Amino acid sequence: MIHKTLKPFPKHFLWGASTSAYQVEGASLEDGKGPSCQDVKKVPEGTSDLKVCADQYHRYKEDIALMAEMGFKTYRFSVSWSRILPEGTGAVNPKGIEYYNNLIDECLKYGIEPLVTMFHFDMPAALDKRGSWSNRESVDWFLNFAKVLFESFGDRVKYWLTINEQNMLTLVGPVIGTLMIPEGCTNILKETYQQNHHMLVAQAKAMALCHELLPNAKIGPAPNISVVYSASCKPEDTLAAQNFNAIRNWLYLDMAVYGVYNNLVWSYLEEHDAVPVFAPGDEEALKNGRPDFIGFNYYTTSTAQASDGTEKEGKKADQQKADGIPGVYKGFRNPNLLTTEFGWEIDPLGFRATMREIYSRYHLPMIVTENGLGAYDKLTEDKKVHDPYRIEYLRKHIEQIRLAITDGCEMMGYCPWSAIDLISTHEGIVKRYGFIYVDREEFDLKTMNRYRKDSFYWYKKVIASNGEDLA
Ligand code: BG6
């Protein structure tokens, strides 16, 4: 569709950016915080641990002031479960509540709407010991945590996100450091999708609880969604793309919105003796949970061709790269796209295709909860960071949001990854995403000072013009 006139961004469009607790806060065992699975995992060789990160726990005032200077309308951050409940259940840590109270109040002081992710890859280690999401009780653990959050912060937080990238937890959990498989398990796929089922039920119940306790709040999921292209017009490739679309994307949104399992995924699980066990009441709970909007992370698209059985599941896999799944699809390197320094394909047009596809399937307002470019930024001697590559990446993606709005998609906001430099899921601090540079290296904490990158000034202009000035 080539439009002659573009529609503007909505007046109250939520411009902002994102982070997550375990990647940005640091203070990993301070003020009563219990360890999370991220604190006890073996970090990939050559990358920093998660003890200090960007030290936002101690520097949130400075960080929020910088976000306010950029003109943020929202800040998407996550709450560390084990900072609030050090054992995951049981006693609440008052210092944890105090920290998030301060963070929320600091945002509101500048008119920045907090957008709170309840769970971003950081299961309390104490609950990992009890079986993590494999344990049916995890549904109640999460619901109890949700209740504490709603009761403690619901008077000020209007926007909630349930589980960050549940699809990536399920598809590439080991890379992120989250997959907990009980010893002696003989069917890992079944176990993984049972965990996934518990998360789906927990999410549905948390959405229902949010509506019950906070009638004016809005809540939604935050999976990583990107359309899967067919590698060619061969019908076999198109079917493979549909397979991977279902497993990667639609399972999560069909369930969040309609409360039903996607039929292609269900048949794939049946084939592998991996269908999840429903506890009494699950079916109803899944139908009762309704999102008010869809949050989704988008980095790039995937491309699929027909499986020839040679795919090595898990090989070179991370959130955006995968070799394929035998019998389902084979990964295909899209020759039309350039890649980032870290090998992720760059596809702004695929972003528009993704927004169109989500909207036509679910007809709910959408907020982009992550999108961005990881790069080896350099601080110059005069303390500048020239990151034209990031500006170009973000500009091209914002242009596509405007086109999607003109296509008729309802867009609520845009929160690129990340507000400030933080530790990547598996590639350390050197894979930087922020508008704000943090002066530290992998193993040398240096000054931890904050510096405004060129993209900081550019984004400030974008926000001030409500997306009109992208130059
Ligand atoms: C998303 C996650 O998958 O991508 C973030 O929600 C993550 O936690 C981001 O940091 C970028 O990925 P990476 O692997 O480059 O850190």
Side-chain angles (χ1 to χ4, degrees):
M1 190 108 43
I2 300 174
H3 297 292
K4 293 204 185 72
T5 318
L6 294 185
K7 290 188 185 142
F9 283 88
K11 197 159 164 229
H12 299 292
F13 192 73
L14 292 169
W15 297 99
S18 297
T19 62
S20 90
Y22 89 89
Q23 295 175 280
V24 78
E25 283 178 4
S28 63
L29 294 177
E30 224 175 290
D31 285 343
K33 176 178 173 294
S36 79
C37 63
Q38 298 294 343
D39 301 314
V40 299
K41 78 176 184 190
K42 190 173 173 310
V43 296
E45 215 182 312
T47 67
S48 162
D49 60 32
L50 296 144
K51 290 194 177 106
V52 178
C53 300
D55 198 27
Q56 185 160 89
Y57 188 77
H58 297 112
R59 297 165 195 256
Y60 69 91
K61 286 195 178 175
E62 183 183 355
D63 292 350
I64 303 294
L66 285 164
M67 294 178 207
E69 189 183 322
M70 271 187 275
F72 278 23
K73 311 291 180 211
T74 188
Y75 173 37
R76 175 196 177 215
F77 57 88
S78 80
V79 174
S80 155
W81 186 340
S82 60
R83 196 181 290 291
I84 301 274
L85 294 159
E87 295 293 317
T89 57
V92 171
N93 173 26
K95 282 280 188 191
I97 301 282
E98 184 185 320
Y99 172 66
Y100 293 110
N101 270 334
N102 290 341
L103 185 66
I104 290 165
D105 291 346
E106 199 65 19
C107 288
L108 294 174
K109 181 171 121 187
Y110 295 103
I112 297 174
E113 204 64 72
L115 171 59
V116 177
T117 315
M118 299 162 69
F119 181 74
H120 193 127
F121 299 166
D122 55 355
M123 180 59 104
L127 296 183
D128 251 4
K129 287 201 192 117
R130 295 166 67 186
S132 188
W133 292 108
S134 283
N135 188 335
R136 170 70 210 185
E137 286 178 37
S138 57
V139 173
D140 296 332
W141 302 336
F142 186 72
L143 206 62
N144 172 59
F145 171 50
K147 187 160 180 275
V148 174
L149 296 184
F150 297 149
E151 287 176 350
S152 307
F153 310 123
D155 57 334
R156 285 152 295 153
V157 174
K158 284 196 241 147
Y159 295 99
W160 298 89
L161 295 161
T162 53
I163 298 178
N164 180 69
E165 293 197 354
Q166 188 184 325
N167 50 344
M168 295 303 134
L169 291 173
T170 301
L171 292 168
V172 294
V175 184
I176 303 168
T178 52
L179 191 72
M180 232 287 305
I181 296 293
E183 243 172 79
C185 167
T186 51
N187 186 341
I188 294 183
L189 191 71
K190 185 172 174 63
E191 193 58 43
T192 306
Y193 278 86
Q194 188 65 49
Q195 294 186 355
N196 188 58
H197 179 76
H198 293 155
M199 282 189 255
L200 292 170
V201 177
Q203 165 173 273
K205 288 192 168 189
M207 291 193 294
L209 184 70
C210 179
H211 291 135
E212 183 191 322
L213 297 182
L214 309 172
N216 296 322
K218 294 191 186 306
I219 188 162
N224 176 320
I225 302 294
S226 47
V227 289
V228 180
Y229 298 132
S230 170
S232 75
C233 54
K234 266 168 70 183
E236 291 84 349
D237 291 344
T238 301
L239 290 170
Q242 287 181 340
N243 292 342
F244 192 40
N245 262 311
I247 288 181
R248 188 197 189 289
N249 299 316
W250 312 137
L251 160 62
Y252 300 89
L253 291 178
D254 287 359
M255 193 47 104
V257 179
Y258 304 128
V260 293
Y261 268 97
N262 178 284
N263 59 294
L264 287 181
V265 178
W266 192 259
S267 77
Y268 160 70
L269 296 178
E270 275 178 336
E271 277 278 306
H272 294 83
D273 184 25
V275 292
V277 175
F278 275 55
D282 279 4
E283 206 174 322
E284 201 193 346
L286 289 167
K287 291 237 162 71
N288 280 346
R290 286 267 181 264
D292 301 291
F293 61 86
I294 289 175
F296 73 102
N297 300 347
Y298 174 88
Y299 287 89
T300 187
T301 44
S302 303
T303 306
Q305 56 183 330
S307 162
D308 59 11
T310 61
E311 309 73 32
K312 296 206 176 45
E313 220 170 323
K315 192 183 155 219
K316 279 197 262 141
D318 67 17
Q319 307 97 302
Q320 302 303 151
K321 288 191 285 192
D323 203 45
I325 304 175
V328 174
Y329 84 101
K330 188 181 179 65
F332 183 81
R333 164 79 181 90
N334 188 336
N336 304 300
L337 305 176
L338 298 174
T339 58
T340 71
E341 287 177 300
F342 289 84
W344 287 8
E345 291 168 351
I346 302 176
D347 188 5
L349 272 74
F351 188 29
R352 181 180 178 190
T354 300
M355 289 180 273
R356 287 170 162 211
E357 194 64 24
I358 299 175
Y359 195 68
S360 71
R361 290 180 71 98
Y362 306 105
H363 294 279
L364 282 171
M366 291 176 275
I367 180 161
V368 181
T369 39
E370 287 182 34
N371 169 237
L373 177 83
Y376 294 104
D377 296 337
K378 285 282 159 280
L379 186 66
T380 60
E381 274 183 14
D382 58 348
K383 310 296 183 205
K384 305 264 188 291
V385 178
H386 303 303
D387 56 348
Y389 38 83
R390 178 167 298 106
I391 294 175
E392 192 191 345
Y393 177 101
L394 295 173
R395 176 190 296 125
K396 290 192 166 155
H397 284 78
I398 294 173
E399 280 169 0
Q400 297 302 316
I401 302 179
R402 186 143 184 206
L403 285 162
I405 290 172
T406 309
D407 289 334
C409 300
E410 254 179 283
M411 300 302 298
M412 284 165 56
Y414 179 61
C415 294
W417 189 261
S418 50
I420 181 167
D421 289 345
L422 39 69
I423 312 286
S424 138
T425 55
H426 62 291
E427 287 164 297
I429 183 78
V430 294
K431 190 180 188 186
R432 294 176 186 267
Y433 282 90
F435 293 107
I436 302 164
Y437 184 89
V438 177
D439 182 30
R440 63 160 288 183
E441 299 297 339
E442 217 60 76
F443 301 107
D444 178 358
L445 293 179
K446 299 177 90 176
T447 66
M448 296 297 290
N449 286 344
R450 278 51 176 149
Y451 295 101
R452 297 163 182 81
K453 299 184 190 177
D454 288 355
S455 56
F456 177 106
Y457 298 105
W458 172 81
Y459 196 41
K460 182 178 173 171
K461 232 174 28 167
V462 171
I463 298 176
S465 65
N466 198 26
E468 290 291 325
D469 183 1
L470 302 182

